[in-house]
Each structure stands twice: as C-alpha cells, then as structure tokens.
Amino acid sequence: MLTWLKERQTWRDLLWITLIALAVQTFWALRITHPTYFDAFYYTTNAQRLAEGHGFTQEVIWQYLDQPQSLPVPSFTYWMPLPAIIAALGYKISDSFRAAQFPFWLMAGFLPWLSYGIAWHLKQSRWMARTAALFTAAGGYYAAYWNQPTTFVLFAWVGGGCLLTLAWAHESKMWRYWLLAGVLAGLSHLSRADGMLLLGVAGIIWLYEVGGWWRERKDQRLKIEDMSVNLQSFGKLRTSSLIFFGLVFVGGYLLIMAPWFWRTYQLIGSPMSTIGTQTIFLTTYNDIFSYGRSFSFASYLDWGLVNILRSKGQAASLAGQTFIAVTGLTVFVFFMLWAWLKLGRNKRTGPFLRPFSWYTLILYGVMVFVFTFPGQRGSLLHSSAALWPWSMALAAIGIDYAVDWIADRRPAWQPEPAKRLFAVVFVMLVFVVSFAVSSTQPLQEEQALIYKQMAAMVPPGSVVMTGDPPAVYYHTHLPAIAIPNEPPEILPVVAAQFGVDYLLFDEDRPPPLADLHAGKVSLPTLQKVHDFGDGYILYQFVGLESGEN
C-alpha cells in the first residue's frame, strides 16, 4: 500500500511540494489578524478559554435550542470540540492568534500529501501525483479558511484520511487499516457532528467484505464439493476475520469518542446531544436562533407538503452548485467526473474509490433531504472538505484521460509532452482561480473596529445581545448572546433572563425585527445609545423586570 513512500524521489517531491504549500498558506495566514467568520470566532474563543483553564464553558450563547439558563454555559453542546482543542494547544504556547493558527497552517501545508498518495495509488504516475498535490495546495474556495481555527482543513485531513484508510482496508483485508480508519472516524466525529456519516460508510465497506466472503465461499463449495471440512475451516477463518475487522474499527472509533461521550453523559444524561436533530425540522434557517420554541416532525408537517418539497428542490440545486463550484472548482469538475466514472468501473481501482463514492452520495443525500437548511448554510461546504484531496487527485487523472482521448483522434499529437504541458497550465489556473474566489472573502475589519468602539462605551462586564456573539466576545471579552429570531416583544424577556445590558443591531438582524431595526416600531425598554453607521446601532436595555439593568 505504502511502497511509494519508500522511494527517494517521492520524498523529494513531497519536500518541494510541501514547501510550496506552506508558502501559499503563509500568504493566506498573514492576510488575516483574527478570525473572519462566525464559526472560526466560536472555535477560537473557546480555544482561548480552554487555554486559560476555564474548561468546556463559554460566555457566549449563539442558539437557544438546548434551552440555556444563564451565562456561562457548557460549550460544544451543538458543535464538536476538536478544532478548539487543537487551537488551545497553540494558545498554550503563546497567547496570540498566530499561535492558534499554527497547527492549522501546518495541516494545510501537508494536506497535498493525501492527494499525492491517492493519485499515485490510482495511476502510479509521478506527474499525476505531483499535479494532484499542487491542485490541493492551491485550496480553491477553502484557501481563505484553511488557516483559521475551524473544521475545514482538519476535516479534510481526518475525513479524507478516513476514506483513504477505508480504501486501503477494503483492498488489503488487513486489520491495522480498519483500526486506523476507526481512529480517524472518531477524530472526524470529534471535529464535526456529521463525521458520524463515516461510520455509515465503514459499515457499507464492511458489508462489501461480507459479500465478497459469501461469493468466495460459494465458489469454494462449487469447486470442492467433497472437501466440506476444509470449506468449513475456510468459512470460520473468514468469519472470524470479518468480525475482528468490525471490532477493531469500532474500538478505534471509541478510543477517540468514548471520553467525549462520557463528558456529554455527565452533562445531559445521554452520551450524545440530540438538539441538532431539531434542525431536521426547521422551516427556515433563521429558526435555529429561535427562543422558547422547539421543532418536531409534527410542526414540520404543518408547514405543508408543497413547502417541504420546494425546500428540498432548492437544497438539491444549491448542493449541485456546491459540488461543481467547490468540490470540482468549476473548471475541473469535468475532468474529475471523467476519472471518477472510468476508475470506478475498473476492477482494480473501483474498490479503492468505493469509500469516497459512498461518502459523497451519503453526504449529499443527507444534506439535501435530511438537514436541508443547515446543509444550505454551510454544513455541506464544511463536510465537503473531506472530498477535496480526492477530487483534486481525480481531476489530475482526468486531464490524462482527456489528452489521451484527443491524441487518439489527432495522430500528430504527442500525448506525453502534452499531458505535462496541460498539467502546468492547469496548475497555474487552479492557483489563479483559488486566489480569485478566496481573496474576496471579507476580513471583518470594519466589524472589529465597531465592536471595540462599543466596548469603550459600555461598562466592563456588560452582557451584549448581538448578531455575532462569538465575534463580539473575541474582540471585547464581553459576554454575548444571540439576537433571537422572534418578535420585538420577546427581546426584553430574553434580556431579563440572561442579564443583558445592551443590544447591538446590524443589517443582518432576524426578519421579525426588521421594523425595530428600521425605527418603525419601538420598545419602552430599549434606549438608543449610538449609531455606528452601516446598520450598526447600539441600544441599552432599561427598566427590565428582573432588575438586572
């Protein structure tokens, strides 16, 4: 499986490719001085608190589905903790955002190794492996996010790596790959809740093994009808191996996840939080920020069959766009699909691609038909990171197929020089496209300035209700809770419960609060303090019944 790693040329390739990748990631890492989007702020602030010794607690409430009672609250009851744990290791070394970035910068720099190995295994061609690795190094839509404390590059490694070890396990029938796949599945789940999908993929691959055993046993019976004792011994041996493979996979998974299951059990009386399942029944993504409401199958049906089907159609459309634009980076999706279909039908490479193929189908099916609204708002984008090393390896191989196809129809063509020429052209193109799509991601410098200005206006320790609680906490260290997706009259109720002192509005306020933000309606408990411009308005809560303000 890993004989290619024994070749000196492979290590030369990996060295210069890694240096290029780390240089590219240095550009993206230095471009930012703090997290640039909601999830990264959340993981980073929790990493800080872990490093400071506060444990898994947070001074932020960003959703109310788990019915929090007061600040601080337990952290990671909805998302999973591994990105914050890794970033906390950086903060332990140095109390700076650069230190938190460092582990993710390293992971991004070495991520091309995965694609190199995948491409080499599929075609045993060094130029294809190099091309696949350089495609991966460019980053595509992920380039602006790799270096932030979040799930993107982490899940590309552990999720994509789990698919690779399952492929090795499927081919080699060796228990150590099943064990490694189990460990990586556990790390995937500890990174993202939908990392659990890899358990389903592993189960399917294991069933393929069972099917193979059954066919072998049937063939043996047909060939050796008078040797029943030997056949029985063969059956027992294979059955024991299959059971052992499953056990070591589960053991590897539990090695990682059992401590977190125990923590969750102590917290809520169950090894796994179920609040995320409510998002199955959302009728709009904003309802994830609802207050005092719960969502069930009955409430979902009340929405109406037409609305449900329309939402699935919209989700399928966005999922298709995500596959083309993100996983295939638009210009490479044709080559990727060509190689995927051709290699998938090949007797040698088809089994190797099965984990990737099944994960892709399961992921997109779940995000379209089950977690419809979370899938549209980032879950699919995040979980597709596990596909990135694979899709770029397939894209490189697809270029090889395309050149051969043209050469078969143009005798004057010299395919081998043409392949290398096209590889160089497409490597340049992937870096250009990656820069074009990732450099437009907002840096949130204006928001950071407003948050700091606000902090200077309010007393220390004030609790702020805002549209981006993790970002406010990161820049100000003021406790912050989310603006609920409810009518204006609910705001004082929420503020009284959590001792909120101020409300910071912005243009992305929940739809039910549009008139309040625009000044068309008012609340006697809200007093305007300052208008920062760009839709940011600071209010103070006054006269709440709890007497907190």
Side-chain angles (χ1 to χ4, degrees):
M1 290 295 162
L2 299 175
T3 54
W4 54 280
L5 280 175
K6 298 177 182 178
E7 299 179 21
R8 184 172 296 180
Q9 185 58 52
T10 296
W11 287 102
R12 291 195 189 102
D13 287 347
L14 292 176
L15 176 60
W16 66 261
I17 289 170
T18 303
L19 290 175
I20 290 174
L22 288 173
V24 171
Q25 299 310 318
T26 299
F27 165 79
W28 291 109
L30 295 180
R31 182 171 173 265
I32 60 177
T33 57
H34 54 73
T36 63
Y37 74 108
F38 191 101
D39 302 29
F41 278 114
Y42 181 82
Y43 289 116
T44 304
T45 57
N46 276 286
Q48 289 174 324
R49 289 183 62 79
L50 282 173
E52 292 167 0
H54 298 291
F56 290 106
T57 63
Q58 61 190 37
E59 292 279 9
V60 163
I61 296 174
W62 71 271
Q63 52 80 23
Y64 302 96
L65 295 179
D66 54 352
Q67 299 179 349
Q69 298 303 308
S70 62
L71 288 166
V73 296
S75 58
F76 299 107
T77 58
Y78 184 91
W79 286 335
M80 301 300 283
L82 188 56
I85 294 172
I86 293 173
L89 297 177
Y91 274 119
K92 278 290 188 181
I93 298 171
S94 173
D95 186 19
S96 70
F97 180 64
R98 296 296 180 213
Q101 284 181 291
F102 182 72
F104 299 88
W105 173 79
L106 275 181
M107 284 189 281
F110 282 87
L111 185 61
W113 287 40
L114 268 185
S115 290
Y116 190 103
I118 293 165
W120 179 265
H121 189 93
L122 289 169
K123 291 294 287 185
Q124 287 80 51
S125 169
R126 203 163 292 282
W127 78 263
M128 287 188 215
R130 292 166 179 160
T131 304
L134 290 171
F135 283 176
T136 302
Y141 276 86
Y142 296 117
Y145 302 117
W146 284 146
N147 292 280
Q148 300 190 49
T150 184
T151 65
F152 282 114
V153 72
L154 176 59
F155 201 70
W157 258 113
V158 296
C162 181
L163 297 176
L164 180 57
T165 51
L166 283 173
W168 287 339
H170 193 30
E171 282 193 342
S172 68
K173 323 298 182 191
M174 298 177 71
W175 69 268
R176 65 172 176 262
Y177 292 122
W178 282 100
L179 176 62
L180 183 55
V183 170
L184 288 170
L187 291 171
S188 299
H189 190 185
L190 200 62
S191 303
R192 293 190 53 77
D194 42 26
M196 282 190 69
L197 297 180
L198 290 164
L199 299 181
V201 175
I204 291 171
I205 299 304
W206 187 82
L207 289 176
Y208 272 107
E209 296 294 324
V210 173
W213 164 79
W214 183 258
R215 285 189 296 273
E216 289 177 25
R217 193 169 186 272
K218 185 177 180 181
D219 291 343
Q220 289 285 344
R221 182 181 286 111
L222 292 173
K223 293 177 182 178
I224 321 174
E225 293 183 359
D226 60 337
M227 296 177 65
S228 59
V229 174
N230 289 340
L231 178 61
Q232 187 177 23
S233 299
F234 165 81
K236 288 181 178 179
L237 179 63
R238 288 287 283 142
T239 302
S240 299
S241 297
L242 289 170
I243 294 173
F244 184 63
F245 290 162
L247 289 176
V248 296
F249 175 85
V250 174
Y253 169 78
L254 290 177
L255 182 68
I256 302 299
M257 285 301 299
W260 188 253
F261 287 154
W262 177 245
R263 179 262 184 180
T264 308
Y265 177 79
Q266 290 182 308
L267 186 65
I268 64 173
S270 172
M272 292 178 62
S273 173
T274 59
I275 62 167
T277 59
Q278 290 193 50
T279 62
I280 297 173
F281 308 117
L282 298 180
T283 58
T284 173
Y285 183 77
N286 284 323
D287 276 344
I288 202 170
F289 308 107
S290 64
Y291 173 84
R293 290 188 284 156
S294 60
F295 304 92
S296 64
F297 184 60
S299 65
Y300 193 56
L301 290 179
D302 289 341
W303 191 36
L305 182 60
V306 172
N307 288 324
I308 292 172
L309 293 177
R310 183 184 294 115
S311 70
K312 306 301 181 188
Q314 292 171 345
S317 175
L318 286 172
Q321 295 173 48
T322 299
F323 183 82
I324 293 170
V326 177
T327 304
L329 201 58
T330 306
V331 292
F332 297 103
V333 70
F334 170 76
F335 301 113
M336 181 192 74
L337 289 174
W338 191 342
W340 187 9
L341 293 173
K342 187 170 183 177
L343 293 170
R345 292 196 298 264
N346 183 278
K347 187 175 181 180
R348 184 186 73 85
T349 55
F352 183 79
L353 284 174
R354 276 177 188 153
F356 165 78
S357 301
W358 276 107
Y359 177 73
T360 303
L361 293 173
I362 293 172
L363 173 65
Y364 275 77
V366 167
M367 291 302 170
V368 170
F369 298 108
V370 182
F371 294 98
T372 303
F373 287 100
Q376 295 178 57
R377 292 290 292 267
S379 292
L380 180 58
L381 176 69
H382 284 77
S383 295
S384 292
L387 303 177
W388 179 251
W390 289 82
S391 66
M392 291 299 98
L394 290 171
I397 295 170
I399 293 171
D400 176 76
Y401 289 152
V403 173
D404 282 341
W405 186 86
I406 296 172
D408 287 343
R409 288 152 180 79
R410 297 178 66 91
W413 262 49
Q414 297 181 1
E416 292 309 312
K419 290 174 184 177
R420 285 156 178 77
L421 174 62
F422 275 102
V424 171
V425 171
F426 278 111
V427 165
M428 295 173 63
L429 180 60
V430 74
F431 276 95
V432 170
V433 173
S434 297
F435 179 80
V437 298
S438 291
S439 61
T440 58
Q441 298 298 322
L443 301 180
Q444 290 213 358
E445 295 296 346
E446 297 83 0
Q447 292 91 329
L449 180 60
I450 289 172
Y451 297 150
K452 291 173 182 177
Q453 290 175 350
M454 176 200 68
M457 296 179 180
V458 304
S462 298
V463 180
V464 181
M465 183 183 291
T466 177
D468 194 342
V472 167
Y473 182 82
Y474 178 87
H475 288 295
T476 69
H477 276 273
L478 295 174
I481 72 172
I483 300 175
N485 184 51
E486 302 293 344
E489 58 270 17
I490 300 299
L491 295 186
V493 177
V494 179
Q497 178 180 348
F498 296 104
V500 177
D501 301 285
Y502 293 90
L503 167 67
L504 180 63
F505 256 141
D506 61 67
E507 289 287 357
D508 293 327
R509 76 289 171 281
L513 300 176
D515 287 345
L516 182 63
H517 178 260
K520 296 179 181 179
V521 298
S522 61
L523 290 174
T525 52
L526 276 181
Q527 179 178 308
K528 188 174 180 178
V529 176
H530 187 75
D531 189 336
F532 297 97
D534 295 324
Y536 284 86
I537 306 173
L538 181 65
Y539 291 88
Q540 183 177 11
F541 283 99
V542 295
L544 296 182
E545 291 183 4
S546 66
E548 293 283 343
N549 298 285

